[in-house]
Amino acid sequence: MQNHFTKNIDRTPFSTVKYDLRKVLFGTEDIIPLWVADMDLPTAPEITEALIKRLEHPIYGYTLQDNSFWQSAIDWIDKRHQWKVHRKDFVFVAGIVPALGFLVEAFTQPKEKVGIFSPVYPPFRDNIVGNDRTLVEIPFINTDNRYFIDFDLFEEELKNGLKLLIFCHPHNPSGRVWSKEELEKILQLCDQYDCNIISDEIHADLMFYGHKHIPFASLSDVAEKRVVTCMAPSKTFNLAGLNCAYLIFKNKELQDKYVNRVKHMHLDFGGLMATESMKAAYNQGENWYQDLLKHIQGNIDYIVEQFDKTPIKAMKPDATYLVWLDCRALGTQNQIKEFFFKKAKVGVQDGLMFGIAGDGFMRLNTAYPKSVLEEAMKRILNQLE
């Protein structure tokens, strides 16, 4: 493994969400921010070189996503996930979160029921409620510090009129990878009760401990009919600020519904930097990517081991660079936040942001140089003594 990820790089001069919001979120700037899900690690040098080369041309006009752009995604998905997708299946989006909102609008009517399994990534909830749909939260079953789907409750909600499921695959915040059997059960129930599925697979490339990602829509003809897939290079290659993502539709009827919703706003094509970064990432970033996986898995092992003999229980993730912390032994959510933010001075993310099922939990990002995590754990462990 090359030494890409040992240097602590200062991001404060460049208006970064993670650092500039410390005072707002945690009450102080004297805090190690381990919250928002981007990496404090440099992207692949091949991506930087490609962007510099393009910027040397002094005209930065409207940019199309040409065949080479889409072929890079087709090849990456085939190699990484053994799923055959085609140019006609894709629609560009500037980010999965805004696309979720338009998908909800395209596939449901106001007041209709849209479901999520909870706890889950906060913008799922925001895009349902903000679009005047009825939010249905289906809590996971927590067994031995691992989440499982309550299929009985899920079926009850489907019987009660659930029209759309927004599904996190792999799961954020717990890092849970869903098995083929679980996916098939979700699909069987959704097809039985006429419910479509938006599958957010943005963390699909970040698999650890031998786990394998199964693209939901790849399961069967029924899955192709029911599932819209959301993917991006942004989590894998730390490109979130470049606004590059895409949707995959195997069902042209669903694709047309979405495109008809966004096309007049010109939201189905993207910018110059997004285009160049994705091509470089998928075509040239393999070696860096493999080094990243080793680095992140080492960091996860370290964090889980450090919490092992404390009152805080770390839910070891199968995927993602996020660790979900069960902190209920520390007291109420306000007491937990005071412990991390005011005592330990470590800015993990408030579990209640992920829904009521996140009460008593916090989310920690491991995508840092190990030295940063070591300092954060030193602060936490000192306060637990």
Side-chain angles (χ1 to χ4, degrees):
M1 181 170 63
Q2 294 187 35
N3 202 20
H4 295 301
F5 309 122
T6 58
K7 185 178 179 182
N8 190 7
I9 300 172
D10 183 13
R11 298 177 64 186
T12 57
F14 298 105
S15 300
T16 57
V17 168
K18 183 178 289 182
Y19 289 87
D20 285 22
L21 293 183
R22 285 178 294 179
K23 182 73 173 177
V24 173
L25 295 174
F26 309 117
T28 178
E29 293 184 354
D30 180 23
I31 203 160
I32 300 175
L34 305 183
W35 64 290
V36 70
D38 66 8
M39 297 191 274
D40 270 24
L41 301 171
T43 194
E46 293 83 359
I47 297 172
T48 303
E49 291 164 10
L51 292 175
I52 291 171
K53 181 179 179 181
R54 177 59 186 86
L55 290 174
E56 287 174 347
H57 188 290
I59 298 176
Y60 309 135
Y62 295 117
T63 301
L64 289 173
Q65 286 66 61
D66 61 9
N67 287 336
S68 66
F69 175 87
W70 293 116
Q71 193 62 46
S72 72
I74 290 167
D75 292 344
W76 180 268
I77 293 166
D78 186 18
K79 179 179 180 180
R80 198 67 48 212
H81 308 298
Q82 294 74 58
W83 185 28
K84 302 292 184 184
V85 290
H86 307 282
R87 170 65 188 91
K88 64 181 177 58
D89 302 330
F90 288 94
V91 177
F92 179 91
V93 294
I96 289 176
V97 171
L100 290 175
F102 291 118
L103 287 165
V104 168
E105 286 187 333
F107 298 162
T108 61
Q109 297 299 315
K111 307 302 182 183
E112 285 188 330
K113 294 181 177 181
V114 181
I116 56 175
F117 296 113
S118 182
V120 77
Y121 181 52
F124 285 17
R125 180 178 298 97
D126 297 341
N127 272 302
I128 296 167
V129 175
N131 278 304
D132 193 29
R133 272 55 174 179
T134 302
L135 172 67
V136 177
E137 292 196 51
I138 305 158
F140 288 119
I141 299 169
N142 189 341
T143 302
D144 297 328
N145 206 28
R146 187 170 177 82
Y147 284 139
F148 295 88
I149 295 167
D150 187 336
F151 283 105
D152 290 336
L153 180 56
F154 181 42
E155 184 168 13
E156 282 301 312
E157 296 296 355
L158 287 164
K159 288 178 180 177
N160 290 332
L162 201 65
K163 293 295 184 182
L164 182 66
L165 174 69
I166 307 181
F167 186 59
C168 203
H169 172 46
H171 182 246
N172 173 6
S174 76
R176 175 77 152 79
V177 169
W178 307 108
S179 69
K180 182 180 180 182
E181 292 72 24
E182 288 169 314
L183 297 175
E184 288 175 336
K185 182 64 173 176
I186 294 169
L187 182 63
Q188 178 262 311
L189 289 170
C190 284
D191 193 50
Q192 179 180 346
Y193 293 99
D194 193 23
C195 176
N196 290 321
I197 303 163
I198 301 169
S199 183
D200 178 0
E201 303 184 16
I202 196 170
H203 290 278
D205 299 330
L206 299 169
M207 295 280 130
F208 304 108
Y209 310 110
H211 289 281
K212 175 71 177 172
H213 177 73
I214 302 171
F216 205 155
S218 72
L219 284 176
S220 65
D221 292 343
V222 174
E224 290 188 355
K225 181 181 75 171
R226 288 289 179 192
V227 179
V228 176
T229 305
C230 309
M231 285 183 164
S234 54
K235 298 302 181 189
T236 311
F237 290 94
N238 205 22
L239 305 175
L242 297 184
N243 296 94
C244 183
Y246 49 87
L247 307 178
I248 301 173
F249 297 85
K250 288 292 187 175
N251 180 336
K252 190 174 187 307
E253 181 182 351
L254 294 182
Q255 185 181 58
D256 288 346
K257 283 184 178 181
Y258 174 80
V259 171
N260 289 338
R261 180 69 191 86
V262 303
K263 196 170 185 63
H264 68 284
M265 294 180 281
H266 291 202
L267 295 176
D268 55 342
F269 75 98
L272 179 156
M273 303 291 275
T275 304
E276 296 300 325
S277 67
M278 190 174 95
K279 288 193 293 186
Y282 284 164
N283 291 333
Q284 302 171 54
E286 179 70 26
N287 290 338
W288 178 93
Y289 165 70
Q290 294 297 335
D291 288 346
L292 176 77
L293 293 179
K294 295 172 186 175
H295 178 77
I296 297 296
Q297 184 167 311
N299 282 355
I300 291 170
D301 288 340
Y302 170 75
I303 290 295
V304 171
E305 180 183 358
Q306 290 294 300
F307 279 119
D308 185 51
K309 295 182 180 179
T310 76
I312 298 172
K313 298 176 182 178
M315 192 177 287
K316 189 173 184 178
D318 307 326
T320 83
Y321 47 71
L322 307 167
V323 176
W324 191 232
L325 303 175
D326 183 345
C327 307
R328 289 175 289 182
L330 302 183
T332 66
Q333 195 69 8
N334 284 336
Q335 289 171 322
I336 294 167
K337 289 193 290 185
E338 182 171 345
F339 170 82
F340 280 103
F341 305 163
K342 295 184 179 180
K343 296 179 180 178
K345 299 294 182 69
V346 175
V348 289
Q349 192 154 10
D350 184 354
L352 275 177
M353 294 182 67
F354 299 82
I356 193 64
D359 190 15
F361 291 79
M362 303 295 266
R363 192 188 74 175
L364 183 149
N365 181 345
T366 70
Y368 294 80
K370 189 176 180 181
S371 60
V372 175
L373 297 181
E374 288 173 337
E375 174 58 28
M377 287 308 307
K378 179 181 177 182
R379 295 184 183 191
I380 292 168
L381 295 175
N382 283 344
Q383 292 301 319
L384 287 172
E385 290 179 351

